[in-house]
Amino acid sequence: MNFRIYQPATSLAPYVKQYYHLQTSNSGLINLPQNLFSLGDLYMVFLQEGEVIFQPTQHASFTLPEASVVGHFTCHHQIRVKGPVKMTVIQLNAYGCYRLAGLDMSAFNNYFRDLLKQDRECWKELANKIAATTDVTKLDTVLDDAFTNMMCSQVHNLKQVDEIADYIIDHQGYTNVEWLTKKFKMSRHTLERKFMEVIGLTPQLFARMLRFRDAMRNMQQMNVEEWQAFITNNDYYNQALFIQDFLFFKGEPPVLNQETAIAQMPVARPVAVA
């Protein structure tokens, strides 16, 4: 398997986070690299060969088209890849899709959009350029040029949502809507409407995703005795709320001991929630 990670041009930050290129001649089902699709981000997928199938827990499975945007997933899901496969993945931050693709994210309710069905011709041109790139070491240059040009021609305004999202990210989700409405001087209805249009999630769910991600990152570095104190001191209030989020985002319960405290937690593995 040939798996490459590229860093985008600095001028594309923070909208574009990383590029990935996966190529393998193996046939049948293929395991994707761990955390290729991670919680809280959006992804553009350009598929030149093979098949990628997503199976969300609370939604019918779907197969990605040649060029698409995928995410945000609001429940646990599994990914199956059938090879031989050749695909390029662009990892975006939460509002990168709106900024680059100009899609109204409030209508983004089936987890993916076919970019080739959008009005802009740039997506077909980009898909063709990626497919025509025989030297994968130069793929990042092709992507940088394409997205830089899109940024210059994109007229969509982020409507202050980028500032609000960055604030929530900086605080790892440990905030609430009441505080956000006061800080950014807007009504709850306006905040939720703008967030849905630009990001495709409510601010409450976005903060919940980040809070869970931060909790998992910290708890995997702790011993069992430290977990309960961490949960109750980090806006989960009790173990039941944490287990609820664990089920929601990971699709499986943590293992409990006889004292009903968390005794074992699966470490990071290729269970993707984007």
Side-chain angles (χ1 to χ4, degrees), residues 4 6 133-141:
R4 291 176 173 268
Y6 310 84
T133 303
T134 55
D135 184 355
V136 295
T137 63
K138 298 179 180 179
L139 183 59
D140 56 336
T141 302

Side-chain angles (χ1 to χ4, degrees), residues 40-58:
D41 290 328
L42 290 163
Y43 296 82
M44 290 182 183
V45 180
F46 292 87
L47 186 63
Q48 292 86 55
E49 187 177 2
E51 190 174 273
V52 181
I53 303 169
F54 283 79
Q55 177 59 74
T57 302
Q58 300 173 11

Side-chain angles (χ1 to χ4, degrees), residues 117-251:
K117 291 184 178 179
Q118 305 305 312
D119 292 336
R120 301 175 69 190
E121 288 295 323
C122 58
W123 302 115
K124 183 61 178 177
E125 293 174 5
L126 179 54
N128 291 338
K129 286 180 180 178
I130 293 173
T133 303
T134 55
D135 184 355
V136 295
T137 63
K138 298 179 180 179
L139 183 59
D140 56 336
T141 302
V142 173
L143 296 171
D144 282 345
D145 290 344
F147 290 128
T148 299
N149 290 334
M150 288 181 197
M151 290 266 289
C152 294
S153 62
Q154 179 60 261
V155 297
H156 282 275
N157 181 321
L158 286 169
K159 303 181 179 181
Q160 200 183 14
V161 173
D162 53 334
E163 298 177 27
I164 301 171
D166 286 343
Y167 179 85
I168 297 173
I169 292 168
D170 289 343
H171 289 77
Q172 301 294 347
Y174 297 113
T175 185
N176 57 60
V177 173
E178 288 70 25
W179 171 252
L180 293 174
T181 58
K182 292 177 182 178
K183 179 174 177 58
F184 292 96
K185 297 180 174 59
M186 63 178 67
S187 69
R188 183 188 184 106
H189 173 75
T190 299
L191 172 65
E192 293 179 344
R193 176 178 54 78
K194 287 185 175 182
F195 229 80
M196 285 297 297
E197 182 180 351
V198 174
I199 292 182
L201 299 173
T202 63
Q204 298 96 317
L205 181 54
F206 184 63
R208 180 183 174 190
M209 293 168 70
L210 296 177
R211 189 164 59 244
F212 177 76
R213 186 176 69 180
D214 182 62
M216 290 296 296
R217 181 170 54 245
N218 283 282
M219 293 175 71
Q220 286 171 1
Q221 301 172 5
M222 298 178 182
N223 59 43
V224 175
E225 290 75 18
E226 295 173 307
W227 290 348
Q228 181 63 45
F230 178 84
I231 291 171
T232 55
N233 290 330
N234 284 272
D235 278 12
Y236 275 108
Y237 306 113
N238 59 55
Q239 185 174 291
L241 288 176
F242 175 76
I243 293 174
Q244 176 180 304
D245 274 7
F246 199 100
L247 280 166
F248 188 72
F249 292 121
K250 297 286 282 185

